[in-house]
């Protein structure tokens, strides 16, 4: 790239029609001149060759991604993480904001991913380390998507659960139980006060627990628990499977009484979720397998918030995500970025319920509530309910007892003096 | 986990029926006792809670993932990459081989991904850094998949191209040209000797180059080039799009004369590729957006070879991958691991054509040929053909001239004395 070529990849945002652009924030470590590296970054993710040989044309004004802001944060002695065959020279840690013309591909998730975290950004000459930190969409782009069908308010209405968190539980043992036994322990948990009993993200449609039979048993148990408690309940069946089975499995599950569905976002692909959203009659919950493989390290990969935004855009009513505390090796700041990505204004796209989780129990509810700072979250213990020494009914009860204390401003430990299930949970899990 | 519990996650492979297991190789950096960390690693990816409360049972013999080999490589002073809230203690770099029972989920790609690179491995207590290095499948698992429809031999037969590499070119300018102009430059490249002219991985079905019109123009140009040269040619249309449009776009493209298709593997999802494979009438090519985000760093994420194996399993006839040399920041060893993953014996699954690429031209063909060590590869320049100073016909001719030299054992530079296109390519790109 010649010095004169670099200018074609920079623009004053005041001169751009921002409805035409996605806004991308990257952090990166480049080798050599940062302006040259950023021009390459824009070129590689859009018009890598912007004219034909021997034709007097320039495709950049309309089609090039353009730097609209950049900052050199520091010069570094070495890359944060060594990279094979990285270029040699002075190393600069930078932040860059890019306007990327969405008419290059249109409102399509696979094509968006191919451009903003594809070969372009990750194989730009002079940029061995890069992380896509955030993405913002103009209204015209968002309005091509359906987003969540139910969203936070819709979920609350279905469950008749207002002004409090939604209480979920991952049925455990997660792998290996036949449907009857699985159903019996879910039943106990509903009776103890759980709103939603869910399949583990690894439990799908195996021979030893076919989805059809599992939904039949749990659908019936769910209805019985609703009658016994006079309260709506949900059974969330995991229909994660090959994408050409998703709508069929939706129908099988819903007809038999599953009234929420779990689909692992990245393993099936976000586009398959968007497809299922067009068909679904019940709330869709996303789970996070695969995401940590590209989001954990602070200076390389893709920030988990980007994937949360895309899950909401694809149509999930709720996003299960790594939660607070050392167990999930995720900073509070990152968890909160994901919580906000679920709840903040996104134009025509409804809010979805954030479910920050990971080894939760009655002993961790206060922390999650205080960190989130509102009741708009789902709380999802596994062993905290199903491994409780008094069984799943006691485990579920301990969660509701902890919440009753928090809602009334009573210390959880004080509440435990009156409730053996809560006392036992604190003893077992704290 | 109690000391007695750890043993349930270790097994002597001689005692296992290996047809029932996937074999997983991870490298990891753990904090504290490596055996405990590895027991957790198995537990988290399978039976996280292996018994009901108050029931005398053990689900591990049948359903647990089990360590069948481990090695502590070194004690380290610090993690290779700092991780937020990682546990504290002695740090050990280890290698571990795990047998994972595939009946936990069956022959389904999304469920496989959820288990082997999902929450389990990436959120195991005491393992802040882990990389899934390789995966092996027993025959019974492989035989549930179709794999490539054509494979290497099928592609060679369609192109009547034997005993040599397959010559591809990415039509450039990649973004922004209308179909007529795009078609004209593809035409030149076919006439110059290219086997396959392909869309860029970022060019799909935008308003300014609708797939239908592009395939109409390029299909016609392709047939004309075949008549003019007496040689089969391919136009590879990129149908990467939302997954519920893939089969429709396949039909639109193929009816109009595209006779190969490009689909970006991770952006649409590997399962969507498997779905398309059931429908396709033409060879499917995979491209690598998104993969580097989790595969570049040596001590964290997922090795690219794992994704290459899964692309072959899903049914790609050819896998385009980051190639040799500093441009793609990928070690020769990693490129060759991916080349081998395409070509080596995989039971009932046909070999697929590896296409290691990245800023190639006539000047790099010898290096790629020598590194691969056989003619079973595709060679995929972009600007090396379409940015050639003598135009795409000259660019394509330069590639064929370079190959003619290599096939006859003549130095490429010597050949260039007789062929101005080759001479120009070496001057421009070397």
């Amino acid at each position: 790239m010649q010095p004169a070529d670099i200018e074609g990849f920079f623009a004053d945002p005041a001169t751009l029609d921002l409805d035409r652009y996605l806004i991308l924030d990257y952090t990166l470590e480049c080798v050599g001149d940062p302006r040259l590296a950023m021009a390459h970054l824009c070129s590689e993710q859009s018009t890598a060759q912007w004219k034909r040989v021997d034709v007097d044309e320039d495709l950049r004004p309309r089609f090039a991604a353009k730097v609209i802001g950049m900052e050199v944060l520091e010069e570094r002695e070495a890359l944060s993480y060594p990279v094979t065959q990285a270029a040699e020279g002075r190393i600069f840690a930078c932040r860059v904001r890019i306007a990327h013309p969405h008419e290059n591909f249109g409102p399509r998730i696979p094509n968006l991913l191919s451009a903003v975290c594809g070969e372009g950004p990750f194989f730009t000459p002079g940029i061995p380390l890069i992380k896509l930190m955030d993405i913002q969409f103009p209204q015209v782009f968002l309005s091509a998507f359906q987003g969540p069908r139910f969203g936070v308010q819709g979920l609350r209405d279905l469950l008749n659960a207002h002004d409090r968190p939604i209480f979920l539980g991952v049925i455990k043992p997660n792998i290996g139980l036949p449907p009857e036994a699985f159903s019996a322990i879910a039943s106990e948990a509903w009776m103890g006060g759980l709103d939603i009993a869910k399949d583990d993200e690894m439990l799908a449609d195996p021979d030893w627990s076919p989805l059809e039979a599992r939904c039949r048993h749990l659908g019936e148990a769910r209805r019985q628990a609703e009658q016994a408690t006079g309260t709506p309940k949900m059974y969330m069946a995991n229909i994660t499977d090959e994408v050409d089975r998703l709508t069929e499995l939706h129908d099988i599950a819903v007809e038999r009484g599953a009234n929420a569905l779990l689909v692992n976002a990245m393993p099936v692909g976000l586009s398959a979720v968007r497809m299922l959203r067009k068909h679904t009659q019940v709330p869709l919950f996303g789970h996070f397998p695969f995401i940590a493989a590209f989001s954990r390290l602070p200076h390389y990969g893709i920030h988990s918030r980007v994937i949360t935004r895309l899950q909401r855009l694809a149509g999930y009513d709720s996003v299960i995500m790594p939660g607070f505390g050392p167990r999930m090796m995720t900073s509070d700041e990152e968890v909160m970025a994901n919580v906000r990505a679920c709840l903040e204004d996104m134009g025509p796209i409804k809010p979805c319920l954030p479910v920050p989780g990971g080894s939760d129990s009655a002993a961790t509810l206060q922390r999650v509530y205080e960190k989130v700072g509102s009741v708009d979250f789902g709380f999802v213990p596994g062993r905290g309910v199903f491994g409780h020494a008094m069984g799943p009914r006691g485990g579920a009860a301990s969660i509701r007892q902890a919440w009753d204390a928090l809602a009334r401003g009573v210390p959880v430990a004080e509440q435990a003096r009156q409730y053996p299930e809560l006392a036992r949970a604190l003893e077992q899990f704290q």
Side-chain angles (χ1 to χ4, degrees), chain A:
Chain A
M1 202 177 293
Q2 305 302 317
D5 294 333
I6 296 176
E7 291 310 313
F9 294 106
F10 282 77
D12 174 351
T15 67
L16 300 179
D17 173 4
L18 291 174
D19 280 348
R20 295 186 50 244
Y21 294 91
L22 307 174
I23 305 300
L24 310 174
D25 289 309
Y26 295 96
T27 57
L28 57 88
E29 294 178 18
C30 67
V31 179
D33 174 22
R35 274 180 65 85
L36 174 62
M38 289 176 195
H40 274 301
L41 174 59
C42 287
S43 162
E44 294 290 329
Q45 69 179 260
S46 59
T47 54
Q49 179 182 319
W50 57 86
K51 67 180 291 295
R52 283 166 285 180
V53 174
D54 296 331
V55 178
D56 181 20
E57 64 186 345
D58 187 349
L59 296 166
R60 290 175 297 176
R62 180 168 166 193
F63 296 103
K66 296 162 190 83
V67 174
I68 58 170
M70 63 172 277
E71 186 184 357
V72 177
L73 301 171
E74 60 167 346
E75 181 164 359
R76 295 183 55 89
E77 293 202 358
L79 293 169
S80 290
Y81 320 121
V83 170
T84 300
Q85 307 199 51
E88 291 186 6
R90 293 174 66 186
I91 296 169
F92 300 94
C94 307
R95 207 183 276 145
V96 60
R97 174 164 286 189
I98 287 174
H100 189 115
H102 54 77
E103 70 166 324
N104 287 11
F105 47 81
R108 301 166 163 96
I109 295 173
N111 308 85
L112 169 71
L113 294 174
S114 300
V116 308
C117 36
E119 179 179 353
F122 282 92
F123 292 91
T124 295
I127 305 186
L129 292 179
I130 187 165
K131 187 166 186 175
L132 175 60
M133 296 299 288
D134 205 356
I135 183 167
Q136 292 168 258
F137 311 94
Q139 294 283 324
V140 62
F141 191 86
L142 291 174
S143 62
F145 291 81
Q146 295 179 296
R149 174 165 175 179
F150 299 92
V152 176
Q153 192 54 48
L155 272 171
R156 291 197 176 286
D157 292 343
L158 289 171
L159 287 164
N160 191 23
H162 303 281
D163 304 318
R164 64 165 175 84
I166 306 294
F167 297 108
L168 298 82
V170 191
I171 307 168
K172 306 234 170 183
N174 57 326
I175 295 283
L177 281 189
E180 297 81 351
F182 200 72
S183 161
I185 53 179
S187 218
E188 289 293 307
W190 281 314
M191 295 303 293
L194 218 57
D195 295 309
I196 307 176
K198 70 178 280 294
D199 290 345
D200 187 86
E201 88 281 0
M202 289 188 292
L203 171 62
D205 188 25
D207 295 340
W208 45 268
S209 180
L211 185 77
E212 186 278 325
R214 201 164 73 242
C215 290
R216 197 156 28 80
H217 284 279
L218 279 101
E220 180 55 29
R222 194 254 308 163
R223 283 182 287 257
Q224 286 174 6
E226 287 177 332
Q227 283 178 355
T229 63
T231 315
K233 302 287 182 187
M234 280 186 184
Y235 166 52
M236 188 198 305
N238 181 9
I239 63 164
T240 300
D241 206 298
E242 299 293 358
V243 301
D244 58 1
R245 296 194 72 210
L246 289 179
T247 58
E248 172 200 349
L249 292 180
H250 166 282
D251 294 349
I252 289 173
V254 171
E255 276 165 23
R256 281 154 189 81
N259 52 353
L261 295 173
L262 184 72
V263 186
N264 300 340
M266 296 305 296
V268 301
L270 291 160
S271 179
V273 177
R274 188 181 184 188
M275 173 186 76
L276 182 63
R277 161 62 180 93
K278 294 179 186 168
H279 181 79
T280 195
Q281 297 167 36
V282 300
L284 299 178
F285 286 70
H287 201 281
F288 57 91
F290 210 98
I291 297 174
F294 55 78
S295 68
R296 174 167 298 158
L297 300 181
H299 305 297
Y300 188 71
I302 301 163
H303 195 287
S304 56
R305 163 179 49 206
V306 172
I307 306 299
T308 297
R309 291 199 197 289
L310 293 175
Q311 287 182 82
R312 181 173 166 192
L313 198 58
Y316 278 119
D317 299 288
S318 176
V319 173
I320 302 173
M321 58 182 69
F324 303 99
R327 171 68 183 86
M328 300 308 275
M329 297 178 273
T330 307
S331 70
D332 287 1
E333 186 189 352
E334 182 174 342
V335 181
M336 284 309 298
N338 282 296
V339 168
R340 282 193 301 272
C342 288
L343 295 174
E344 71 192 11
D345 180 54
M346 203 179 183
I349 307 298
K350 285 180 189 162
C352 65
L353 187 76
V355 184
S359 294
D360 283 297
S361 71
T364 67
L365 179 57
Q366 181 167 0
R367 179 181 69 191
V368 177
Y369 175 46
E370 287 174 356
K371 298 259 187 200
V372 171
S374 88
V375 296
D376 281 334
F377 68 96
F379 188 67
V380 63
R383 282 167 278 191
V385 168
F386 294 93
H388 189 285
M390 297 166 76
R393 189 185 295 227
S398 73
I399 309 291
R400 298 303 296 260
Q401 292 157 3
W403 176 251
D404 288 344
L406 293 168
R408 291 185 295 117
V410 172
V412 173
E414 190 180 312
Q415 178 94 334
R417 282 187 222 127
Q418 291 174 40
Y419 294 96
E421 296 90 347
L422 180 55
R424 195 63 197 259
L426 299 185
E427 193 187 314
Q428 192 179 349
F429 301 113
Q430 207 155 39

